[in-house]
Amino acid sequence: MTVTFEALPTSSSARGAHQAIATQLRARPGQWAHVLTPPASGTATSMAYVIRAAKLTAYAPAGTFEAHARTVNGEHRVYARYVGDQAPSPEEQLAEVLRIVAETVTEANDVGGVDINDLVTRLAQAGHQLPDVDS
């Protein structure tokens, strides 16, 4: 096998695409939009998490975007909306915790490689620290 030596590209088209998505969502706060169509449900779930947790700077700071994965007529989709810095209600916080748990369990069952530590990390990244439990 032969390798090809070449300069590393300077920018990522994916990064630019995410910046464009974030800009469009910010222009219409509170409105849901179908933003991505990944090839697999696990990828859709992961991308929704990337948006919510601001793993890409386009979606920073964490918590200013909501995102969910859905399968519609066999097509895996990511829906997102810009919510800004508004504080979620207790009901919204509970719904977010339950969604994170459900998505992590689904990913663990469908994709594998995900365990309880990932769940704890995802909850913490979303601002939901587990309480200290004395043994």
Side-chain angles (χ1 to χ4, degrees):
M1 172 161 186
T2 305
V3 297
T4 302
F5 291 92
E6 57 186 50
L8 181 66
T10 57
S11 66
S12 167
S13 61
R15 190 175 323 145
H18 284 285
Q19 189 60 53
I21 290 168
T23 298
Q24 291 176 65
L25 293 173
R26 280 187 176 94
R28 296 175 71 169
Q31 294 184 335
W32 287 102
H34 171 197
V35 297
L36 299 167
T37 309
S41 64
T43 307
T45 299
S46 295
M47 287 309 304
Y49 169 73
V50 163
I51 292 169
R52 283 191 312 274
K55 293 298 183 183
L56 296 172
T57 57
Y59 304 109
T64 57
F65 289 87
E66 291 181 347
H68 297 283
R70 297 287 188 266
T71 300
V72 178
N73 298 322
E75 181 178 69
H76 309 294
R77 298 180 179 182
V78 177
Y79 290 86
R81 69 179 176 173
Y82 175 70
V83 294
D85 295 326
Q86 63 190 21
S89 69
E91 293 81 13
E92 292 170 323
Q93 290 179 4
L94 174 60
E96 181 180 34
V97 167
L98 294 174
R99 179 192 47 71
I100 291 168
V101 169
E103 288 179 357
T104 303
V105 168
T106 299
E107 186 176 351
N109 289 336
D110 293 350
V111 180
V114 177
D115 63 19
I116 195 69
N117 292 321
D118 295 302
L119 174 59
V120 171
T121 299
R122 290 174 182 183
L123 287 169
Q125 289 172 333
H128 304 290
Q129 287 294 121
L130 294 180
D132 290 331
V133 178
D134 295 328
S135 300

